[in-house]
Amino acid sequence: MSFHYTRYFRQPAATAIAALLWTLPVYAQSGADAGQQETAKAKLHILEGLTVTGTAGDVGDVGGSATFIGKEEIEKFSYTDINRTLRLVPGVQLQEEDGYGLRPNIGIRGSGSDRNNKIVIMEDGVLMAPAPYAAPAAYYFPSMGRMEAIEVVKGPAAIKYGPSTVAGAVNLFSTSIPDNEEGGLSGSVTALGGEDSTLRVHGYAGGWMPMSNAWDVGILVETLQDRTDGFKELDGGGDTGYRIQDYLAKLAFRSTAESGLRQSFEFKVQRSDEVSDETYLGLTLADFNANPYRRYAASQVDEMNVDHLTLQASHRVDFSNDLNLTTTLYYNDTSRAWYKINDARLTGAPTWTSISSIVSDPVTNAAEYAVLQGAAGEIRVRNNNREYYSAGIQSVLGSAFVTGDLAHYLEFSVRYHEDEEDRFQNDDIYTMSGGQMTLTSAGAAGSQDNRVGDAKAWAFFVQDTIDWDRLTVTPGLRYETIRLRQTRWSTADPSRTGPATVAENSVDVLIPGVGAVYHLTDEWQLVGGVHRGFAAPGPGSTSDAERSVNYEAGVRYGAGDLSLEAIGFFNDYSNLLGTCTASTGGGCTIGAQFDGGEVDVKGLEFTAGYDAGKSLGTKLSVPLAAIYTYTDAEFKTSFNSGFGPWGNVTAGDKLPYVPEHQLTLTAGVEGETWRTNVIANYVDETRSVAGQGAIPADQRIDDRIIVDLSAELDVVPGVSLMAIVENVTDEVYLVSFDPAGARPGKPRTILGGVRFTF
């Protein structure tokens, strides 16, 4: 199997992708006791080839920490902000930025949250970062508003995915083709509107229909239309919101019982575009305290444009009840240009001052600070123009078999992947006068940055889930061979007639892991595991790969309406890798990497759920849940990095943006035709720069409690009225000092609307 691509007529044809799949032999131990074999066979199960959990019911069988958030839970609040949804997952650190989740910064177990570059982001089991090997911190995240489920895995379960296994993986499930018993089309349309001219419409329709005696055909069409004028107040007026248009279509075929061989094909195409009036420019702490929702005049032309395309073709075949193969071919194309203020100066001054330096020290940089607010001067705006692609093919072969009284489910997977980041950037100069910016000097394309980073990687994974009596052990091994390259052209060579430098580096790594679940009783389980954490360096980097050994152990309980899980973890880093990005405030060479040395991250994750309806003697459902995380993340070595959030590190310093305590409480009351839910989220204070002891005011992110409320009433069958209040108490809170200045969370927002289902 092979494919080729062409990228804007500037890229050569890609190397043909060949996927070699080995047929795994199935052995049965001869002479084994027939009764033992029958007991083992009763445990055999066919897992989905590209996921760890797949359903909430699978979580208890995972040899590692896993959380599955299903469609019913997601629909309670109809969030389009992934940050708000992931508050339901223990062990996750969230560094908000814009209040809407457009550019999420997600960390897991103290991994660091900048642009999700230490975790794996997937949609339907496929890598979804624009260039997950060449530029894992790139800006694109699938629209949460069109997802029907989320899987978050940590510990040994995470090594199935890669390339980064240091923290965990977030797998988003797009809307599946509706499968009704009576056949035909079904779907849903949800429309919400409210403050700040917010309008959100999500709708889909589809279904399965017979095509012949041997085949059914399934279709799905879906769209998400999401817009708002924004909640920030731009000096001089103007919008600070966004507009997102997202479209998805699926076409699938599946065999029927009459066809003999069970198999299915699915073709998926998804396209989205985003225009957002977003900026890296925050506020000085004094200005934040005076008006947290203010935006300086110097950000008036800042705008992000993102276009994304996903093409995906999948095939699954069940050769028998015990042998299946899933293969997916994928291609992602992302073009983005974030046009935003970079620095400022007095007119004719010899040097520019970065916006992060200005807002962090407005006294020393008083003249430039005045320019940000509209005084006469010059503004340099950078066109962060980048193009990305990623493409590959992955196959997972699953085989269930019995050896004696052991039941096995053996998975073997292979993935070939290649991706690329193309930076072709320029700076424009504006004159600020009377609070208005006028373009005075347009930079030539490629005159600020002119380079390409690319990666090619083979990944192999084998895992055996072994059931024996009350014990399930899941040993796994991942191998990756990665080739990275960075090609730079002169900023005076927009035609790229000849590269100025070419830097290459490569990584080959074995990543072992093992998880175990022991059923003490039908209700109680012990769970534990150990695995190697790994994150590759970037193209042309001279830094070492990030490496750690990660341990976890805990208990699970489930009986009737009560469930709980408590897992302790310890991540022992031999080298923590830092990457300089503009989103961390700059102050270093963008793309440069730093070896952070030894780091210890330890903590506890606790979740509990209970439906109190029966115990209260009512027919109502009263679901209650608690999700708590304790995290202690500490540098064990001293070094000078020049990297914004780290700075000059002394052994014993705490990692930035890792709160010690986090707690989410949820409660609901649900009748036959109505339901209401509340979610309260507490985040402990944290520091924005590595350090220890008391946190300086200009580095302290104060603790906060944010409460959201939702209600839904079924008016007639298929029609429901909805109301959602985010940040009920209108809490004013600081979420970050990065990229450049203090940034607020979203204030109270009231939305109302209607949901139609058919």
Side-chain angles (χ1 to χ4, degrees):
M1 182 178 292
S2 64
F3 70 91
H4 302 276
Y5 65 87
T6 303
R7 182 169 177 74
Y8 300 107
F9 306 103
R10 296 194 292 116
Q11 300 294 339
T15 303
I17 296 177
L20 303 178
L21 300 175
W22 291 264
T23 302
L24 298 182
V26 178
Y27 295 102
Q29 181 175 323
S30 60
D33 179 78
Q36 291 177 329
Q37 291 217 13
E38 286 303 314
T39 301
K41 285 180 180 178
K43 298 182 178 181
L44 298 181
H45 54 284
I46 302 294
L47 299 179
E48 290 295 330
L50 301 175
T51 64
V52 169
T53 58
T55 67
D58 293 333
V59 170
D61 298 324
V62 175
S65 179
T67 302
F68 186 88
I69 304 173
K71 183 177 181 179
E72 182 179 352
E73 193 68 33
I74 288 174
E75 287 184 343
K76 288 180 179 179
F77 288 88
S78 297
Y79 287 137
T80 56
D81 184 348
I82 186 65
N83 292 312
R84 285 183 128 80
T85 305
L86 289 180
R87 295 180 304 183
L88 299 173
V89 182
V92 174
Q93 287 83 39
L94 303 165
Q95 181 185 336
E96 295 184 45
E97 183 171 320
D98 49 60
Y100 294 110
L102 300 178
R103 249 67 68 195
N105 299 279
I106 305 168
I108 296 177
R109 292 181 173 176
S111 64
S113 55
D114 179 45
R115 296 292 184 252
N116 321 313
N117 68 346
K118 296 296 180 64
I119 67 173
V120 179
I121 301 295
M122 294 171 293
E123 182 178 327
D124 297 329
V126 170
L127 296 175
M128 199 49 60
Y133 285 84
Y139 313 134
Y140 169 76
F141 199 91
S143 300
M144 179 61 221
R146 61 173 178 81
M147 299 301 161
E148 70 174 15
I150 302 175
E151 169 195 74
V152 181
V153 294
K154 297 160 281 186
I159 71 172
K160 178 173 183 175
Y161 294 128
S164 176
T165 64
V166 69
V170 177
N171 189 11
L172 307 168
F173 295 83
S174 66
T175 302
S176 56
I177 299 174
D179 197 358
N180 306 311
E181 291 184 4
E182 61 274 15
L185 297 178
S186 63
S188 171
V189 177
T190 302
L192 289 166
E195 294 183 271
D196 304 318
S197 299
T198 299
L199 178 61
R200 185 184 308 159
V201 179
H202 173 235
Y204 68 88
W208 286 93
M209 295 159 285
M211 188 173 67
S212 67
N213 289 335
W215 290 92
D216 293 337
V217 60
I219 58 171
L220 174 77
V221 292
E222 180 178 25
T223 186
L224 172 68
Q225 305 289 317
D226 189 13
R227 68 168 310 278
T228 181
D229 289 345
F231 61 86
K232 295 178 184 176
E233 303 161 5
L234 180 64
D235 290 352
D239 291 342
T240 60
Y242 65 87
R243 187 207 73 219
I244 293 174
Q245 297 178 300
D246 200 328
Y247 304 91
L248 179 143
K250 293 181 179 180
L251 174 66
F253 304 91
R254 67 184 181 191
S255 61
T256 64
E258 286 77 9
S259 67
L261 187 65
R262 295 175 296 171
Q263 59 180 321
S264 61
F265 300 86
E266 183 173 282
F267 304 93
K268 167 184 166 184
V269 57
Q270 179 267 327
R271 179 132 208 170
S272 63
D273 71 80
E274 172 200 327
V275 179
S276 54
D277 304 304
E278 280 298 335
T279 180
Y280 269 14
L281 181 59
L283 299 170
T284 68
L285 187 56
D287 286 339
F288 180 90
N289 291 332
N291 179 6
Y293 306 121
R294 179 187 180 187
R295 255 182 59 178
Y296 297 133
S299 67
Q300 62 192 255
V301 300
D302 288 14
E303 183 180 273
M304 169 70 112
N305 286 271
V306 185
D307 291 297
H308 178 83
L309 171 68
T310 289
L311 301 174
Q312 188 173 313
S314 300
H315 173 245
R316 178 183 173 95
V317 56
D318 292 349
F319 299 106
S320 68
N321 290 332
D322 302 331
L323 187 66
N324 64 84
L325 175 67
T326 304
T327 300
T328 299
L329 184 71
Y330 59 91
Y331 174 81
N332 297 307
D333 188 288
T334 306
S335 300
R336 51 137 289 194
W338 198 341
Y339 194 68
K340 63 183 188 294
I341 178 174
N342 192 70
D343 37 29
R345 69 181 181 185
L346 293 180
T347 302
T351 58
W352 296 90
T353 303
S354 70
I355 55 174
S356 58
S357 297
I358 297 171
V359 296
S360 63
D361 190 356
V363 176
T364 301
N365 302 294
E368 292 84 359
Y369 172 55
V371 175
L372 296 186
Q373 299 178 86
E378 290 182 314
I379 302 292
R380 187 161 61 176
V381 179
R382 180 156 296 168
N383 180 16
N384 288 269
N385 180 37
R386 304 173 192 175
E387 297 175 354
Y388 303 88
Y389 84 85
S390 66
I393 183 171
Q394 59 189 35
S395 287
V396 183
L397 185 65
S399 174
F401 58 95
V402 173
T403 58
D405 57 355
L406 302 180
H408 300 260
Y409 187 77
L410 186 67
E411 288 182 288
F412 175 78
S413 72
V414 58
R415 178 176 70 206
Y416 176 76
H417 175 96
E418 56 184 57
D419 60 48
E420 178 185 281
E421 178 194 47
D422 187 338
R423 296 188 179 216
F424 199 60
Q425 304 180 171
N426 63 278
D427 287 336
D428 293 342
I429 297 176
Y430 286 77
T431 296
M432 175 72 80
S433 178
Q436 296 299 312
M437 294 169 58
T438 303
L439 179 65
T440 55
S441 176
S447 58
Q448 188 278 322
D449 201 354
N450 188 2
R451 60 181 159 118
V452 170
D454 61 79
K456 294 179 172 62
W458 282 94
F460 303 88
F461 174 73
V462 61
Q463 175 180 278
D464 190 8
T465 301
I466 307 168
D467 285 342
W468 177 61
D469 196 25
R470 292 183 174 272
L471 177 65
T472 300
V473 180
T474 311
L477 181 65
R478 183 177 193 85
Y479 172 71
E480 295 233 12
T481 178
I482 307 166
R483 301 294 177 262
L484 302 155
R485 179 177 59 185
Q486 184 184 89
T487 306
R488 287 182 177 269
W489 290 266
S490 166
T491 52
D493 182 16
S495 299
R496 296 180 171 175
T497 57
T501 62
V502 178
E504 297 183 347
N505 54 319
S506 61
V507 180
D508 294 273
V509 62
L510 274 173
I511 305 170
V514 60
V517 178
Y518 183 75
H519 295 259
L520 291 169
T521 66
D522 290 342
E523 294 82 20
W524 286 96
Q525 301 175 6
L526 297 179
V527 59
V530 58
H531 78 284
R532 172 176 289 175
F534 166 80
S541 175
T542 58
S543 293
D544 295 331
E546 181 166 291
R547 298 180 186 274
S548 64
V549 179
N550 305 336
Y551 309 86
E552 67 175 21
V555 296
R556 293 188 185 124
Y557 175 84
D561 296 321
L562 175 64
S563 64
L564 62 85
E565 178 180 274
I567 293 183
F569 63 88
F570 176 62
N571 293 356
D572 183 6
Y573 289 85
S574 57
N575 184 53
L576 183 69
L577 189 64
T579 303
C580 177
T581 63
S583 57
T584 55
C588 45
T589 302
I590 302 301
Q593 294 191 308
F594 306 92
D595 293 325
E598 297 180 12
V599 173
D600 286 351
V601 182
K602 56 183 178 292
L604 173 68
E605 300 167 358
F606 174 81
T607 60
Y610 179 60
D611 191 329
K614 293 180 181 178
S615 62
L616 294 175
T618 175
K619 294 182 179 180
L620 301 175
S621 176
V622 186
L624 308 172
I627 302 98
Y628 170 74
T629 303
Y630 166 77
T631 311
D632 181 16
E634 184 178 293
F635 287 99
K636 308 304 289 185
T637 54
S638 302
F639 60 94
N640 297 328
S641 71
F643 171 50
W646 290 0
N648 297 328
V649 173
T650 300
D653 283 355
K654 301 297 184 180
L655 268 66
Y657 293 108
V658 181
E660 190 171 3
H661 301 282
Q662 297 181 92
L663 175 65
T664 298
L665 301 175
T666 70
V669 181
E670 302 175 4
E672 290 186 5
T673 60
W674 58 273
R675 58 212 66 89
T676 183
N677 291 276
V678 62
I679 178 170
N681 175 244
Y682 168 77
V683 180
D684 198 4
E685 72 172 12
T686 186
R687 58 182 72 243
S688 61
V689 178
Q692 50 190 299
I695 307 175
D698 60 352
Q699 299 176 8
R700 185 176 66 246
I701 313 296
D702 289 327
D703 59 353
R704 60 184 183 265
I705 298 176
I706 306 300
V707 179
D708 293 350
L709 179 68
S710 73
E712 187 170 357
L713 172 65
D714 300 335
V715 181
V716 295
V719 181
S720 302
L721 298 179
M722 304 171 61
I724 299 170
V725 184
E726 297 177 351
N727 192 358
V728 172
T729 61
D730 202 19
E731 178 82 1
V732 176
Y733 61 106
L734 175 69
V735 297
S736 174
F737 283 104
D738 294 322
R743 311 180 75 85
K746 187 165 69 169
R748 180 172 53 221
T749 303
I750 301 174
L751 302 174
V754 60
R755 175 179 286 138
F756 301 94
T757 57
F758 59 91

